Amino acid sequence: MAERRAIPVYLSLEEAAEALSVSVRTIRRWIAAGNLPAYRCGKRAIRIKLDDLEAAPRQIPAARC
C-alpha cells in the first residue's frame, strides 16, 4: 500500500508575520536576503511553507551593557 504524504501548509505574508510577531516588511526582508524560502502562487501571491517558517533562524537581540 502506498504511503500517504502530508500536504504542506502554506501561509500568506501577513499570516507568517503574525505567527512570528514581526512586520510583513521584515518577512519580505528575510525572503529577499535568502533567509526564508518563499513560493510565488500566481502573478502576485507569495506563500511560505509552515515548516520553513518554523525552521527560520531568529536572531536573539544582544544585551546592551
Side-chain angles (χ1 to χ4, degrees):
M1 191 147 109
E3 291 183 37
R4 283 196 97 184
R5 292 186 297 175
I7 297 173
V9 175
Y10 289 90
L11 302 176
S12 68
L13 297 181
E14 292 79 13
E15 292 168 333
E18 186 177 330
L20 293 180
S21 299
V22 297
S23 69
V24 172
R25 181 182 243 177
T26 299
I27 295 292
R28 287 184 182 275
R29 269 192 236 119
W30 290 348
I31 292 168
N35 296 330
L36 183 61
Y39 306 89
R40 188 170 298 278
C41 304
K43 287 186 177 184
R44 299 189 66 169
I46 298 172
R47 298 290 182 253
I48 300 166
K49 279 187 189 177
L50 181 59
D51 294 339
D52 291 339
L53 189 65
E54 291 172 346
R58 289 192 225 149
Q59 184 177 4
I60 299 172
R64 296 182 189 224
C65 297

